[in-house]
Amino acid sequence: MSKLRRIGAGFCGTVWAVPTQNDTSAFKREDGGPGRSLLNDFEMHNRILKKAGDQEWWNKNLSSFPQGYSPCNILLSERIRPLPQNIRELLIDKYCPAPLIPEIKASDTNQDCLIRPYLGRRRIAPGGGARPSRFQAFSLRNFPLHVDQMEQLGIGGDTNKYAEMMAEALAMIHWYGEMDANDVEFVLAPPRNGAQYRLSNVLGDHIMWLLDFDCCRHMSMDEKGVDQAVTAFFRNDPFYPRPYQPLWKDFRDLYLQTSSDIISGDRDDKRKRLPEMFIEQTEEIQQKRMNDASHN
């Protein structure tokens, strides 16, 4: 195997890949914080292609990592390809602080660009001004793209499609997988080679990918499970539209429709009611948050 390059890092561990656009594999090492489990990621995520954790694999491949790295649990999965250079430069020119632009454009690290679509948050404060930042920093790794930025880029017309993709995925996780979707991540990135479905706008040809299942937990098919799923919904980064925001109806309608399609053959009438309970609870919590904010 060729030398590997680190393309990402999170609390669970680091992610590595062969530094070529033609390679479709990514390796996730369990070398992050305590309490995070690649085994749980593997068990919860049916797109994982192979688990590689034995000594034989490390004997063959340890030399592909930089000096000083030791064997640990590792997952081999499909690599999500980064966005191409013209899209990276578009984001840099539009959003990077001017003094940092030359450094960011020359950075190898920022070639690993995936977009995190934040449909539940705007950068624009209620008074109309941009939210001030205390830091002069910029990174294209897991770049957060908020709703107002999507509008600035002229792709506001596609945000309803992004919302529907998230809704369909979340319904499948909840009612097919019976998981709470805690801390999953959505990213916009190029599609697989040969993929028929794709979106095309100023971000080029792309689709929405779903990853990071290591914090997901089984949820019971009852009110307690719904409570768990609602907690995970608000605990996650603001990918999902929030109730009473413009994209909520698109999200809500497809979530309920997909959930109904999944559960329609179930004989348990109580289980059929759970998706509506999930939506009702998210709306109630969001309403309370809005009321509390208006009194502050």
Side-chain angles (χ1 to χ4, degrees):
M1 190 194 306
S2 302
K3 291 289 184 181
L4 299 176
R5 186 169 70 89
R6 193 168 79 168
I7 63 171
F11 195 68
C12 185
T14 54
V15 184
W16 302 74
V18 175
T20 170
Q21 289 288 335
N22 297 324
D23 194 89
T24 60
S25 298
F27 303 88
K28 187 174 184 180
R29 288 173 49 93
E30 190 180 80
D31 55 2
R36 303 294 282 267
S37 168
L38 285 190
L39 179 59
N40 190 65
D41 199 343
F42 171 74
E43 291 175 342
M44 294 288 183
H45 189 186
N46 62 6
R47 291 187 183 182
I48 295 298
L49 303 179
K50 179 182 178 182
K51 181 185 178 190
D54 58 26
Q55 191 60 45
E56 181 181 355
W57 189 91
W58 279 110
N59 289 341
K60 293 179 180 178
N61 297 289
L62 182 58
S63 61
S64 297
F65 291 87
Q67 186 175 359
Y69 279 81
S70 59
C72 64
N73 288 338
I74 192 167
L75 289 176
L76 168 61
S77 63
E78 179 179 6
R79 182 185 182 186
I80 302 173
R81 293 185 296 132
L83 290 160
Q85 181 177 354
N86 64 315
I87 307 302
R88 300 197 302 268
E89 294 196 352
L90 169 69
L91 297 173
I92 293 170
D93 292 338
K94 188 77 173 176
Y95 299 115
C96 182
L100 301 180
I101 288 179
E103 174 189 346
I104 297 297
K105 286 189 175 182
S107 166
D108 289 339
T109 299
N110 284 286
Q111 293 179 15
D112 306 315
C113 175
L114 304 176
I115 290 176
R116 297 161 64 97
Y118 282 174
L119 302 185
R121 179 185 293 169
R122 304 177 72 89
R123 291 187 315 155
I124 305 302
R131 299 180 189 273
S133 175
R134 306 177 194 175
F135 307 104
Q136 283 287 309
F138 187 87
S139 174
L140 287 178
R141 281 189 171 178
N142 294 325
F143 182 75
L145 193 68
H146 302 75
V147 173
D148 60 288
Q149 292 172 299
M150 297 179 195
E151 294 168 353
Q152 290 173 354
L153 292 172
I155 60 174
D158 285 330
T159 53
N160 65 315
K161 299 184 181 68
Y162 298 149
E164 290 174 346
M165 291 177 185
M166 290 182 187
E168 188 173 25
L170 187 61
M172 294 180 70
I173 294 170
H174 284 167
W175 312 116
Y176 268 141
E178 299 185 356
M179 297 184 293
D180 59 9
N182 186 42
D183 207 33
V184 296
E185 180 176 341
F186 296 87
V187 295
L188 304 179
R192 293 186 183 99
N193 292 329
Q196 294 183 353
Y197 181 78
R198 62 192 64 198
L199 289 170
S200 186
N201 53 38
V202 72
L203 300 178
D205 288 345
H206 62 280
I207 58 172
M208 185 174 291
W209 295 79
L210 179 63
L211 64 153
D212 283 356
F213 284 67
D214 63 288
C215 288
C216 289
R217 296 295 181 266
H218 172 74
M219 57 182 270
S220 55
M221 294 292 101
D222 53 24
E223 294 183 14
K224 184 177 180 180
V226 171
D227 291 343
Q228 180 181 336
V230 171
T231 298
F233 178 91
F234 284 104
R235 179 184 294 160
N236 202 351
D237 290 340
F239 296 109
Y240 311 112
R242 294 298 190 255
Y244 310 110
Q245 293 179 350
L247 293 172
W248 177 248
K249 186 178 187 303
D250 295 307
F251 179 92
R252 179 186 189 277
D253 290 351
L254 193 59
Y255 176 88
L256 290 174
Q257 181 59 57
T258 304
S259 300
S260 176
D261 292 343
I262 294 170
I263 302 177
S264 60
D266 201 304
R267 296 181 180 180
D268 186 349
D269 290 336
K270 291 184 179 180
R271 188 168 188 259
K272 293 179 181 179
R273 170 78 177 122
L274 298 180
E276 291 184 3
M277 290 178 58
F278 171 80
I279 292 296
E280 290 169 359
Q281 287 192 31
T282 56
E283 291 177 343
E284 290 172 2
I285 290 175
Q286 183 68 10
Q287 183 66 65
K288 184 179 185 302
R289 291 184 174 188
M290 293 166 62
N291 291 341
D292 291 345
S294 67
H295 293 141
N296 292 333

